Each structure stands twice: as structure tokens, then as C-alpha cells.
Amino acid sequence: MLRQWWLRGATACSQFSRAHSGCNTSSKPKRSIPEDGLQLSDFIKEGTKKQRMKQIIPSIEDTKEYLNPEDLRGNGRTVCYVTYGCQMNVSDMEIVRSIMTQYGFVESEKREKADVVLLMTCSIRDGAEKKVWNQLKLIRSNSVNKSQIVGVLGCMAERVRHDLLAKRNLVNIVAGYCRCRPRPSLQEHLNFNFPGPDSYRDLPRLVAVAAGGSNAINVQLSLDETYADVQPIRVDAATKTAFISIMRGCDNMCTYCVVPFTRGRERSRPIESIVDEVRRLRDDGYKQITLLGQNVNSYRDLTMSPSTSSEDRVPGFKTVYKPKTGGLTFTSLLEQVSDAAPEVRFRFTSPHPKDFPMQLIELIASRPNLCKQLHLPAQSGDDDTLERMGRGYTRDLYLRLVDDIRKILPNVFLTSDFIAGFCGETEQAHQNTLSLIRQVGYSFCFVFPYSMRGKTRAHHRLADDVPEEVKAQRHLDLTTVFREEALKLNQALVGTEQIVLREGTSRRDATYSYGRIDGGVKTVFPNPEDIVKPGQYAKVLITEANSQTLRAHLIGEANI
Ligand code: 5AD
Ligand code: SF4
């Protein structure tokens, strides 16, 4: 039987505080923690909060006596994992799956019957949250397991935790991203040297709390959690592609974006742990690795000695934070992974344009295994809108960056994100964005209608004044124009030879395979005798193109 405070997951933090203060000989006044844990604002208010964390988090000895390790074990209980949102969420769910599996839970596809259903959620737009609320209702109404435990993880767990916990009939567990104390090794944790609150590592405990009949929450934001030691990250063994999270969080504070509030401050995994993982994947025959992060090219391993170049921003681009210095930057990381696995293709997402110094572009130009496809999210092509978005650059600076990149990488494939109908966006501003898309020529764009999010700077300071039907029309305009340009770019590839990494088999015709060229465009080619296996490179001749897909003839097997 679990002790009372342990059962009351929602008050676990204040209990930790009490437990620790009992053995704290310091004369400092004791600090209380909000019932539902610390948030980003708690970290920002004081620079020395790390010390405070040390004071309030109990040691292993403090907490051990309260624990019954058996209650943490899955013992074959089933878990259904449901993921919404971006690649980072998919990757985070892998971390969760890995932790749950290590504790003896078994994955199940059967949502209605599973003992535990965990939803990894996204808050970036209102529509994403609505989808999850609808699913939560469906899960409960379709469930045939009366004691089923439903957990909400990820962005919504951070942003709307009060609303979630108020829906006791729908949700039992709310678990955010991080934690706020030095990281134990996974092994330490698995040995039940249970060191204190930590949201994903804490899941088995939260499930035990929920099974005891209470709702459980842990949404503490961390300054340092990167889950570097939780393996594997995300792999697709069939296509020999893998995704590795290299950093978490974002410090940019674009005025429309909730990510800095839900994912916390930027923190990077040590370079060594990433290179080790790349080597392991290479040895297992993986051929494509995508490095992931909310702000991936802002990567900086501060555990390493200072890099020679401390300033890595593109000249002219501004940030809301002071220039970051020291450590090893994204350029060093790419160089190391490229050396470690020359036969593996590397991609990365999602970057910010300010973090594309020319050394990085030159490195990409010099290495055949670094794909010549760059995501350069512009968001808008209008100076006033960019200013209100807090993006830190003008249209002109962005275009200069595109020119500089193309001087070094003339055949680069550029992709972008755009927001339609941001606060105060005029018709002229919209036209300016359309003209930017025409001028740059992207091979793909993600276009989103603006969705006002609570907590953001735009929410506090700006009016969501573009009518929904105008947003919808502008969304359509942006999509139409990027497709027109993408079609021209793809048509220019007809007659060229490209290297494709085969991913799968065409659904329409099993004698055709598909994969992606270095620039990321999907390519379909005949492969009737299955000469080119999934995860193998093929040389092809491009014969046809539309705005999204290329068709090709197979020339033969290839290497990069
Ligand atoms: N509304 C619409 N789109 C948004 N994005 C981020 N926040 C919002 C929002 N509030 C888009 C941006 C970002 C992408 C991941 O999502 O284009 O680059
Ligand atoms: Fe959001 Fe801007 Fe950070 Fe991207 S860079 S995650 S848009 S705040």
C-alpha cells in the first residue's frame, strides 16, 4: 500500500518540499512550490532557481522509505500510445515507450481494452487541442475497461493542466516534459533508487498513483532534462531511417508561439551521447538520420570546452536573448556525425534562419552525406508583420540569407513555414508574403492559419483581428503559390540523375517503389524485382514531375 502523500500525486511537490525540509539544516527560509509544479515563469523570474531546486528536491534517501517498488511495475499491464503533433512528439513518445517498457508495461493497439492510454499532445494551434479533447471523450465512451487510466502528456499537459485535471472523468494523469533536479541514470531509476519528481521518468509512479484512485500530475519544467540516456530514440527498422532528439525547448519567444511556454528553455544533449547513438545506428545498417529539436540549429553543447567561434548568428539577425557563447555548436555536431557515419544521410528539423552561419552552409556543401535541403521558416514576407511576430529579421535580411546560401549551395532545396492572417496582417502584407514565396521558390511550405494561443506575447499585446474567412482565403493563396513554384522547381529536375533512398512500396502498384532524393522530394520508380531494398540507395533518372512528386526510371544501385 502506498503512503498517503505518495497517493496524492497532485500534492507531491509540496510533500517533497516538506520531506526535504525535515532534513535540511540550512537556515534559509523554506520556499513553497505551487501544487501543480513549477513553470517557465518560475525559472525566468530568478536566475538562481537552480540552487533553489537543489534545496527543495529530496535526496534518494529522503524518498526511498515512502516507496513500494512493486507498485511501479507494469507486470504485463497494457499501454496504448497515441501521438499528435510534430516529429518531436513522435520522438518523445519513443522515450515514454522506452521507459514504460523497461518497467514491464506491454504495448497494445487496442485502445478500448488497454489498462493505460497515453496521449502525447500538441498545443501549437487551437485545432490541435480540440482534436485531443474530442479524443478524450471518445476514449472514455468507447472504453470497455472500467479501470482504464488515461494520461495526457506533452504540450497540453503544460498549457491546460488545470482544465485537464478538472475533467476527472476524462483524465487521470497529466505529465509535462521535464524535471528540475540533476538527472539520475536510467539504470538508477530502474533500480528503484527513485530520486524524486520527473515527469516522463515519473510515469510509472503517476500510473501507480492513478491506479490508487487519485489524479496525478507532474508538469515541472526543467533547465537541464534532455533524456539523453533514454534509448532508443525513434527508428523505423523497415526503411532504415531514424530520428534523434538533440535538443529541447526554444528561447526565441516569437510572439505567436506557445512552444517556449510548453517546452521550456533550450537545452542540448551532450555531443558524445548523440555521436554514440549515430555510431550504433550506423552499425545496425541505418541509412538516414534526422536530427530533431524545436530550434535544432541553436544546438550548443555547453558541457564541452568553448568553440573557436563563439557567435553563431547570421549577421543582422536579432534575438530577445543575449548572444550565446561557448560550448560546441550545431556546426561541430554536424561535422562529427557526418564523419562518424559517412554512408548515412543526415537531415535536421526544425531550424531558425538566424542560426545558419556560413560555416554551417560550407560544411553542408562539403559533405555528400549532409542533405542539401534546408528548412528556412520565414513565417511572413512583410516587414511590419515580421516585426510584430518578433522574428528578429526583415524580409531583406531573409532574402540576403537565401542568396548567400545559394551562392554556396546553388542546387539547395528550400522549404518554409508561413502563418496566414497573423494579428494586424493587411492585404498588402499578405501580398508581400506571396511575393516572397515567388521570389525564393520553395520545394515545400507548411502553411498555417493563425491561431491565437494563451500566454503568448501576441495574446497579451495584439488583437486577433483578421477574420477567419480571410485567414482561410490567404491560407489557400499561400498554398497555391508555393505549389506553382514547387512545380517549376520539380519540372527543372526532369532529365537529371538523382540518388534516392528507398523507403517503401507504392500502394497503387506493388512493382513501384518510392523514396526521397537528397533534396527531400518524394520519388516513385519501377523496381519490379525488388533489386533496391528498403534502406538502400538507388540511382534514378527523373522523367516526370508534379508539384509534390517525381517519377523516375531506375538506373541501378548506388552509394552516396
Ligand atoms: N498559429 C499558427 N501557426 C503557428 N505556428 C506556431 N504557432 C502558431 C500559431 N499560434 C506555426 C509556425 C511554426 C510552425 C511549427 O507552426 O509556422 O513554424
Ligand atoms: Fe516557436 Fe519561434 Fe521557437 Fe519556432 S523559433 S518554436 S516559432 S518561438
Side-chain angles (χ1 to χ4, degrees):
M1 176 65 182
L2 302 168
R3 289 278 180 97
Q4 184 58 23
W5 72 260
W6 203 62
L7 275 170
R8 298 295 311 165
T11 57
C13 290
S14 43
Q15 294 288 356
F16 276 136
S17 174
R18 238 173 292 149
H20 188 58
S21 62
C23 64
N24 182 6
T25 52
S26 152
S27 59
K28 279 186 193 164
K30 291 172 193 84
R31 311 280 302 261
S32 64
I33 307 180
E35 266 207 343
D36 48 2
L38 293 160
Q39 298 176 55
L40 181 65
S41 55
D42 296 290
F43 291 105
I44 291 171
K45 271 183 231 147
E46 285 175 44
T48 56
K49 288 273 161 62
K50 241 185 172 171
Q51 289 153 9
R52 176 179 150 193
M53 293 301 112
K54 284 203 184 109
Q55 190 186 336
I56 55 174
I57 302 297
S59 69
I60 291 171
E61 287 309 312
D62 297 329
T63 57
K64 220 174 188 174
E65 58 179 300
Y66 297 105
L67 302 176
N68 178 356
E70 266 315 301
D71 291 314
L72 303 189
R73 295 200 187 277
N75 287 330
R77 275 179 292 165
T78 52
V79 189
C80 178
Y81 302 94
V82 186
T83 308
Y84 296 93
C86 62
Q87 297 272 18
M88 279 297 280
N89 273 10
V90 179
S91 172
D92 278 359
M93 197 54 129
E94 285 306 311
I95 292 171
V96 170
R97 189 180 273 118
S98 176
I99 289 170
M100 297 301 281
T101 306
Q102 303 247 21
Y103 274 84
F105 288 86
V106 176
E107 179 162 7
S108 165
E109 300 275 300
K110 298 195 175 110
R111 199 179 298 190
E112 318 78 52
K113 289 192 187 157
D115 296 307
V116 183
V117 181
L118 296 177
L119 290 92
M120 183 65 71
T121 61
C122 169
S123 283
I124 202 140
R125 282 169 290 278
D126 190 42
E129 286 193 359
K130 281 203 178 115
K131 226 189 262 175
V132 172
W133 282 115
N134 289 339
Q135 268 309 314
L136 285 170
K137 286 179 206 146
L138 270 179
I139 287 169
R140 273 295 189 245
S141 59
N142 293 344
S143 175
V144 293
N145 181 343
K146 289 280 168 284
S147 52
Q148 185 172 68
I149 293 167
V150 176
V152 174
L153 322 177
C155 286
M156 280 177 72
E158 176 59 37
R159 210 188 81 80
V160 289
R161 61 193 183 283
H162 295 296
D163 299 347
L164 288 164
L165 281 172
K167 301 275 181 209
R168 284 172 170 265
N169 54 333
L170 296 183
V171 181
N172 311 102
I173 294 174
V174 178
Y177 290 99
C178 334
R179 61 192 195 87
C180 47
R181 60 179 307 288
R183 181 175 354 128
S185 72
L186 183 61
Q187 208 46 51
E188 225 178 0
H189 201 59
L190 295 175
N191 290 340
F192 301 105
N193 276 334
F194 192 68
D198 155 30
S199 58
Y200 290 164
R201 289 174 205 274
D202 198 22
L203 269 170
R205 182 186 74 86
L206 296 175
V207 169
V209 169
S214 297
N215 277 12
I217 181 167
N218 184 341
V219 288
Q220 301 200 43
L221 275 172
S222 163
L223 288 174
D224 62 358
E225 178 62 275
T226 57
Y227 295 100
D229 58 327
V230 182
Q231 311 294 345
I233 301 301
R234 182 182 152 209
V235 295
D236 181 344
T239 60
K240 291 286 174 206
T241 56
F243 296 79
I244 303 180
S245 294
I246 62 160
M247 59 83 68
R248 305 171 77 80
C250 177
D251 291 347
N252 289 328
M253 303 292 280
C254 301
T255 61
Y256 51 81
C257 186
V258 78
V259 166
F261 303 92
T262 59
R263 294 278 183 157
R265 306 292 300 271
E266 283 177 16
R267 52 223 183 262
S268 298
R269 278 176 63 177
I271 220 160
E272 276 167 23
S273 79
I274 301 167
V275 176
D276 281 353
E277 202 161 297
V278 163
R279 287 203 190 98
R280 259 198 309 276
L281 290 165
R282 172 204 67 191
D283 293 345
D284 288 345
Y286 280 83
K287 285 290 166 49
Q288 179 168 274
I289 298 177
T290 304
L291 306 176
L292 296 177
Q294 265 95 31
N295 210 347
V296 72
N297 52 344
S298 212
Y299 174 90
R300 196 175 276 267
D301 177 3
L302 293 169
T303 63
M304 301 302 282
S305 54
S307 67
T308 41
S309 132
S310 54
E311 173 58 278
D312 254 29
R313 253 183 312 183
V314 177
F317 283 59
K318 296 195 176 66
T319 53
V320 291
Y321 55 82
K322 280 203 228 118
K324 294 180 182 175
T325 55
L328 284 181
T329 61
F330 186 64
T331 308
S332 309
L333 171 69
L334 263 195
E335 191 172 15
Q336 290 201 26
V337 294
S338 154
D339 282 344
E343 64 283 21
V344 172
R345 261 185 186 174
F346 288 93
R347 301 184 187 278
F348 53 91
T349 197
S350 182
H352 190 288
K354 73 175 172 18
D355 298 309
F356 275 109
M358 284 309 119
Q359 306 96 283
L360 173 57
I361 307 298
E362 277 157 9
L363 177 79
I364 294 172
S366 69
R367 306 288 174 111
N369 65 338
L370 301 180
C371 290
K372 276 61 184 166
Q373 182 224 325
L374 300 181
H375 192 56
L376 222 54
Q379 313 296 358
S380 168
D382 175 69
D383 280 348
D384 291 341
T385 312
L386 286 168
E387 174 76 35
R388 281 196 306 285
M389 288 177 161
R391 289 291 289 175
Y393 52 85
T394 58
R395 173 193 176 96
D396 188 47
L397 269 170
Y398 180 91
L399 285 171
R400 252 192 272 164
L401 173 64
V402 169
D403 279 352
D404 288 345
I405 290 175
R406 284 197 164 132
K407 272 183 210 142
I408 301 172
L409 289 171
N411 297 323
V412 68
F413 290 70
L414 296 177
T415 55
S416 188
D417 292 350
F418 287 96
I419 296 179
F422 182 60
C423 307
E425 188 188 70
T426 59
E427 181 53 32
Q428 182 54 52
H430 172 56
Q431 291 302 325
N432 290 345
T433 303
L434 291 174
S435 92
L436 181 93
I437 294 178
R438 287 200 189 91
Q439 201 168 334
V440 174
Y442 299 98
S443 54
F444 189 80
C445 293
F446 295 94
V447 182
F448 309 101
Y450 175 60
S451 165
M452 176 73 94
R453 313 308 292 136
K455 286 193 180 174
T456 57
R457 288 198 286 157
H459 183 249
H460 291 303
R461 297 187 200 154
L462 301 171
D464 183 11
D465 53 2
V466 178
E468 290 306 314
E469 61 277 12
V470 176
K471 284 181 191 169
Q473 182 57 51
R474 290 182 185 171
H475 179 269
L476 188 65
D477 295 347
L478 295 171
T479 307
T480 308
V481 169
F482 103 67
R483 288 232 166 101
E484 283 168 12
E485 296 305 315
L487 176 63
K488 288 185 209 159
L489 293 171
N490 287 349
Q491 281 173 338
L493 294 173
V494 172
T496 64
E497 287 181 2
Q498 303 283 337
I499 308 275
V500 174
L501 179 61
R502 178 179 167 195
E503 289 173 20
T505 304
S506 163
R507 264 197 232 135
R508 286 203 200 133
D509 183 341
T511 63
Y512 280 76
S513 298
Y514 69 85
R516 276 166 211 281
I517 61 170
D518 180 288
V521 187
K522 186 173 172 186
T523 304
V524 181
F525 57 97
N527 186 24
E529 276 140 46
D530 220 30
I531 300 168
V532 184
K533 305 272 183 276
Q536 278 184 353
Y537 294 109
K539 189 183 265 188
V540 299
L541 175 70
I542 308 296
T543 53
E544 280 175 59
N546 64 30
S547 65
Q548 290 172 74
T549 315
L550 304 171
R551 290 195 153 261
H553 285 154
L554 178 60
I555 297 175
E557 290 171 65
N559 282 313
I560 52 167

